Amino acid sequence: MDSYKNSGVDVTAGYKAVELMSENVKRTKIPGVLSSLGGFGGAFEIPSGYTHPVLISGTDGVGTKLKIAFALNKHNTIGIDCVAMCVNDVLCCGAKPLFFLDYIATGKNFPEKIAQIVSGISEGCIMSECALIGGETAEMPGFYPVDEYDLAGFAVGIVERDKILNPENVKPGDILIALPSTGVHSNGFSLVRKLLQPSEELLTPTKIYVKDVLPVMNYIKTIAHITGGGFYENIPRSLPKNLKAEINLKSIKILPVFEKIQRAGNLELDEMFHVFNMGVGMVLISSPDNADKILNNINNSYVIGEVVKGDNGILLI
């Protein structure tokens, strides 16, 4: 034990971390969880009531936003970002998140810090109405700096096969509805960190849209999660090849943080829309007949454009 500890790995710290995080994990338990923390795998029973259930999976990390958490020594919200990046993607397929697993790799295991990270992950799972059923904490001295860590996650959701959202159902005249973001979310931070000093504003967690979107899922044709690549990369993924999104630039409620970034880097507006969400974290596409049902049920949602004929892509007008 001492030889391993002298090499930089303290297994007793690992035991302590599991002990500290266990209460947060328990907070996320929902019907279907069959396993407890500490096993070799997480077990979750597929819910009843589905005719032809399909499991939808998604995995992601937080990226260099972690550097902001390191600089501010604040670690209890970054886990929300990790959950959000995964469950929001699963949601884009029409699926309800069921469970989540995390992976934390660090240069040195400080149990209290790990517990803070997991508290954010647990909070994200509660926001998503899914369970944290497992994970892995790896202490890797010499690979990561002592005070730093990486964070990634994996989510699984469920949807009826005939309810999976399909871009081929989108038609000309369908409406683009924006759901506001809470800020930069979790992409573009390699650029942000060059332009702005670390701040609490930059650490604002990524918005989780599960509770907003699931109740109106029957009125939605497709969904775009605006992450890395901004508008230009993500919105076309929710459209068929022969259609494009025509977006009214003046309709977009750009958040002040993006104006700060643009000024600091003297960036063209077009580049901003290629990199950032600009205040729109998710775009829902619906028929004109169903648009009001969404707008009336999701607070602060608003129309930003429509689908038109043309090569797959977006047009800012």
Side-chain angles (χ1 to χ4, degrees):
M1 294 286 283
D2 286 342
S3 297
Y4 203 15
K5 186 174 183 179
N6 291 337
S7 73
V9 179
D10 185 354
V11 294
T12 59
Y15 304 149
K16 180 64 174 178
V18 171
E19 179 185 339
L20 291 176
M21 72 176 73
S22 61
E23 287 303 314
N24 278 305
V25 174
K26 288 177 183 176
R27 293 171 58 219
T28 74
K29 189 171 183 178
I30 61 174
V33 177
L34 301 180
S35 56
S36 59
L37 187 67
F40 288 99
F44 194 96
E45 184 176 30
I46 294 178
S48 60
Y50 287 85
T51 303
H52 197 154
V54 174
L55 298 179
I56 304 291
S57 61
T59 186
D60 209 338
V62 182
T64 62
K65 185 173 184 175
L66 288 169
K67 288 284 190 180
I68 309 296
F70 303 158
L72 299 178
N73 194 27
K74 182 176 172 60
H75 310 284
N76 62 341
T77 63
I78 202 74
I80 298 174
D81 292 281
C82 190
V83 176
M85 296 301 289
C86 297
V87 298
N88 285 345
D89 279 355
V90 165
L91 191 65
C92 288
C93 296
K96 171 183 171 56
L98 292 176
F99 59 84
F100 186 84
L101 294 93
D102 64 72
Y103 175 76
I104 305 170
T106 183
K108 183 172 177 59
N109 188 336
F110 297 102
E112 291 77 13
K113 182 186 289 187
I114 299 298
Q116 288 178 41
I117 298 167
V118 174
S119 73
I121 294 170
S122 299
E123 190 63 33
C125 287
I126 291 168
M127 293 176 179
S128 310
E129 300 181 324
C130 70
L132 176 58
I133 64 169
E136 173 70 9
T137 302
E139 190 172 19
M140 301 167 67
F143 194 86
Y144 292 97
V146 169
D147 292 325
E148 296 191 1
Y149 55 86
D150 198 8
L151 177 61
F154 176 85
V156 171
I158 190 168
V159 61
E160 288 280 12
R161 182 170 179 173
D162 62 0
K163 296 290 186 180
I164 297 174
L165 301 186
N166 184 354
E168 296 305 317
N169 292 328
V170 177
K171 306 295 180 187
D174 283 344
I175 305 299
L176 305 175
I177 297 173
L179 304 189
S181 69
T182 50
V184 184
H185 281 185
S186 298
N187 61 277
F189 274 88
S190 295
L191 175 57
V192 171
R193 290 186 299 107
K194 289 185 176 181
L195 301 176
L196 301 180
Q197 292 298 311
S199 68
E200 291 276 353
E201 180 182 31
L202 295 178
L203 207 54
T204 302
T206 304
K207 169 76 173 176
I208 292 175
Y209 295 98
V210 173
K211 290 183 180 179
D212 287 333
V213 172
L214 281 179
V216 296
M217 191 65 79
N218 288 337
Y219 306 128
I220 298 170
K221 289 190 174 183
T222 57
I223 301 174
H225 184 199
I226 312 303
T227 56
F231 278 51
Y232 281 93
E233 181 175 331
N234 292 291
I235 294 177
R237 295 165 66 184
S238 63
L239 301 171
K241 292 181 179 179
N242 63 330
L243 296 179
K244 64 182 177 182
E246 187 175 87
I247 297 171
N248 182 347
L249 187 57
K250 292 181 179 179
S251 71
I252 297 172
K253 299 174 183 178
I254 298 175
L255 295 177
V257 66
F258 296 108
E259 295 170 350
K260 291 181 187 177
I261 294 168
Q262 187 178 8
R263 286 195 303 269
N266 193 27
L267 304 173
E268 296 290 337
L269 191 61
D270 192 63
E271 182 175 7
M272 294 291 293
F273 277 93
H274 268 96
V275 178
F276 300 108
N277 69 62
M278 300 302 286
V280 177
M282 193 165 268
V283 174
L284 314 180
I285 300 179
S286 77
S287 68
D289 292 342
N290 286 329
D292 281 344
K293 297 181 179 71
I294 296 171
L295 294 166
N296 292 336
N297 282 282
I298 301 181
N299 290 336
N300 302 315
S301 59
Y302 61 99
V303 175
I304 59 170
E306 66 176 319
V307 178
V308 299
K309 292 181 180 180
D311 292 338
N312 181 266
I314 72 166
L315 177 64
L316 294 175
I317 59 172

